[in-house]
Amino acid sequence: VVDGRKDFIVFDIGNQYPHDLDLVRQVNGDLFSRIDVDMVNTYKYKRLHSLPWYWATLREGDCLFIPASTFHQVRA
């Protein structure tokens, strides 16, 4: 983080990929979430209930390594 604060939510999906869980859609080779992050429908995406997740708050000078294909959300 260069300036300010960012909050990260990271889901541990193990060896699965987000598209295997039907959580993403692919457009021109890029992956986009199917989930409305402002109002998550946990009835539609029931698999989210069983996934362990982590919350991290980063401030100026902090960094967080997020492996490829890790399902995450960032709030700045």
Side-chain angles (χ1 to χ4, degrees):
V1 175
V2 175
D3 187 29
R5 164 187 164 167
K6 291 188 180 184
D7 295 317
F8 286 77
I9 300 172
V10 182
F11 285 93
D12 183 4
I13 59 174
N15 294 331
Q16 299 175 352
Y17 291 102
H19 57 274
D20 292 338
L21 298 172
D22 195 35
L23 298 175
V24 296
R25 61 186 168 85
Q26 189 167 3
V27 178
N28 296 329
D30 294 326
L31 295 177
F32 295 92
S33 176
R34 293 181 183 275
I35 300 170
D36 177 2
V37 296
D38 293 320
M39 185 173 288
V40 177
N41 184 343
T42 56
Y43 293 105
K44 183 176 180 181
Y45 301 103
K46 292 180 182 178
R47 293 182 180 192
L48 290 177
H49 288 285
S50 62
L51 294 176
W53 59 276
Y54 306 94
W55 176 281
T57 299
L58 277 62
R59 301 195 187 276
E60 187 175 329
D62 293 338
C63 66
L64 179 67
F65 173 73
I66 302 176
S69 298
T70 300
F71 202 63
H72 67 280
Q73 176 189 6
V74 181
R75 298 252 175 174

